[in-house]
Amino acid sequence: MILADKIIKLRKQFGWSQEELAEKMGVSRQSVSKWESTNSIPDLNKIIMMAEIFGVTTDYLLKDSIESIESIDGDIEQDVTKVTLEQANRYVECKDIITQITVKGVLFCVCSVIPFFLLMAMAQSSQMNLNTNTATVSGIVIMLVMISFGVSFFVRTSQFTSEMAKIDDEEFELEYGVKSIFQEKLQQFTAIYHQKLSIGIACFILSVVPFLLVVFTSGESGLIFMMLCVMFLMVSAGLYVVIPVTSTHSAYSSLLKEGDFHPREREKYKQVEALATFYWPLLVAIYLGWSLWTMDWGVTWIVWPVGAVLFGALAGLMGMLSKSKG
């Protein structure tokens, strides 16, 4: 395999256009085009830079007899899997199905606290002859039942894991023409993505407003519990809007190897995703445990802004550590 073919193969494996490779190497797109069409040959300095960018040896680039991709570490990489248009569409379809199931599970879990807060509000206002102990026990039982339903939805998503492993866990390359199709789809979807993301974030930010107004004006326990119900309903609405569009955007980005799904960023994204799977449930448990122990809901809400900042710091630290290892 000659140098020109190797440049094309590596560029496509990384999911880069000629313009993107040219930008990384500090040359014009025409220069890359000439290299790939054998109209010119890059000088030695460019070949060394190219080897560093692609993570391969200069021997692999320069010696036509070396066919298999040889990494800088000396490992031989297997030929990447080819993904057809049908397989790519099926991947996005599976992602959408998983999202529909996941959203139901998330909403069950997030809304599980709402019956508890409603019962506590009724107990505080002495409605239906409910006392605090009865309301607490009944609310916790309902909460656990709803969380159980939510978890059952999460478990059901595992049936699609093996079908998507080819793209999620393996090196792959889109067949000719497939990338341009999904680039167009992503471009068309971007406006919808940003619009719905803005709506969801607005729901998250505004969800705390009614709660804070009651805390700092009235302070009545019954009203505080009612505003907590409103807060979680608004958070649920935000999640209902954000999760589907984020999932679709992630599916397109994963196929195109862009953003967090770029080969160099994929590992960091997986680490942050793994952190989130136990971090946010733990934060909810801390919030509910502290709130129920002290019954000082006007103070315990501080867990959420502090927790969000801490999560961002942890995600940034993980990114720094992964870069230092690289």
Side-chain angles (χ1 to χ4, degrees):
M1 187 185 296
I2 63 174
L3 174 61
D5 292 333
K6 291 177 180 179
I7 295 174
I8 295 172
K9 180 178 180 179
L10 288 166
R11 177 174 62 78
K12 289 184 177 180
Q13 180 175 323
F14 277 77
W16 296 338
S17 63
Q18 288 183 343
E19 290 85 353
E20 289 170 325
L21 178 57
E23 183 180 350
K24 295 177 187 298
M25 296 196 63
V27 299
S28 65
R29 187 199 64 79
Q30 288 77 10
S31 296
V32 175
S33 177
K34 288 179 180 179
W35 297 341
E36 294 185 353
S37 60
T38 67
N39 288 326
S40 68
I41 299 175
D43 60 37
L44 184 59
N45 289 332
K46 295 299 182 187
I47 289 176
I48 293 173
M49 183 187 301
M50 199 180 302
E52 291 176 353
I53 290 174
F54 288 131
V56 298
T57 63
T58 53
D59 278 352
Y60 168 73
L61 292 175
L62 293 171
K63 295 181 179 180
D64 295 347
S65 58
I66 301 178
E67 297 287 338
S68 299
I69 297 177
E70 188 177 37
S71 70
I72 292 175
D73 298 329
D75 299 325
I76 303 300
E77 298 182 5
Q78 301 296 323
D79 290 336
V80 295
T81 303
K82 295 285 186 179
V83 175
T84 65
L85 178 59
E86 182 181 355
Q87 291 171 326
N89 283 328
R90 176 58 182 169
Y91 175 78
V92 175
E93 182 185 348
C94 287
K95 281 286 188 180
D96 288 340
I97 295 172
I98 288 174
T99 300
Q100 293 171 17
I101 297 172
T102 301
V103 167
K104 294 175 183 176
V106 169
L107 293 182
F108 262 105
C109 290
V110 173
C111 294
S112 64
V113 297
I114 293 178
F116 171 80
F117 291 141
L118 283 174
L119 290 171
M120 292 298 292
M122 293 170 65
Q124 293 295 321
S125 58
S126 301
Q127 295 182 22
M128 298 178 63
N129 296 321
L130 270 178
N131 57 49
T132 302
N133 291 335
T134 303
T136 301
V137 173
S138 302
I140 291 176
V141 169
I142 296 172
M143 186 190 309
L144 293 175
V145 171
M146 292 183 68
I147 290 175
S148 298
F149 274 110
V151 171
S152 70
F153 282 106
F154 298 144
V155 172
R156 287 166 54 186
T157 61
S158 61
Q159 62 185 302
F160 299 96
T161 302
S162 59
E163 191 171 357
M164 298 191 304
K166 179 184 292 186
I167 293 174
D168 284 338
D169 302 327
E170 299 177 10
E171 288 296 325
F172 69 91
E173 180 180 329
L174 297 177
E175 285 193 347
Y176 179 77
V178 178
K179 182 176 180 179
S180 60
I181 291 174
F182 278 92
Q183 283 178 328
E184 184 177 350
K185 286 185 177 183
L186 179 60
Q187 186 176 5
Q188 294 174 351
F189 183 74
T190 298
I192 298 173
Y193 170 70
H194 288 297
Q195 181 184 19
K196 292 195 174 183
L197 197 63
S198 300
I199 294 172
I201 292 173
C203 287
F204 298 149
I205 295 173
L206 296 176
S207 65
V208 75
V209 173
F211 171 73
L212 292 178
L213 285 175
V214 171
V215 167
F216 293 116
T217 56
S218 172
E220 184 181 338
S221 299
L223 279 176
I224 289 176
F225 283 121
M226 290 302 296
M227 290 305 101
L228 283 169
C229 293
V230 174
M231 182 179 75
F232 277 91
L233 283 173
M234 291 182 68
V235 169
S236 299
L239 291 171
Y240 184 77
V241 172
V242 167
I243 293 177
V245 293
T246 302
S247 176
T248 303
H249 188 272
S250 297
Y252 290 154
S253 299
S254 182
L255 286 168
L256 296 171
K257 299 181 180 180
E258 295 181 353
D260 290 332
F261 299 92
H262 187 280
R264 296 183 179 179
E265 300 292 330
R266 185 183 289 264
E267 189 61 33
K268 182 175 72 174
Y269 177 81
K270 287 183 177 179
Q271 291 173 352
V272 174
E273 194 176 44
L275 172 66
T277 56
F278 78 88
Y279 180 88
W280 293 110
L282 177 63
L283 192 66
V284 172
I286 292 172
Y287 169 69
L288 291 176
W290 183 19
S291 301
L292 292 171
W293 182 266
T294 62
M295 294 304 290
D296 196 353
W297 301 87
V299 174
T300 55
W301 66 271
I302 199 67
V303 164
W304 297 108
V306 172
V309 172
L310 180 59
F311 181 79
L314 289 173
L317 179 61
M318 291 175 69
M320 291 174 60
L321 291 175
S322 64
K323 285 184 180 178
S324 65
K325 288 180 182 179

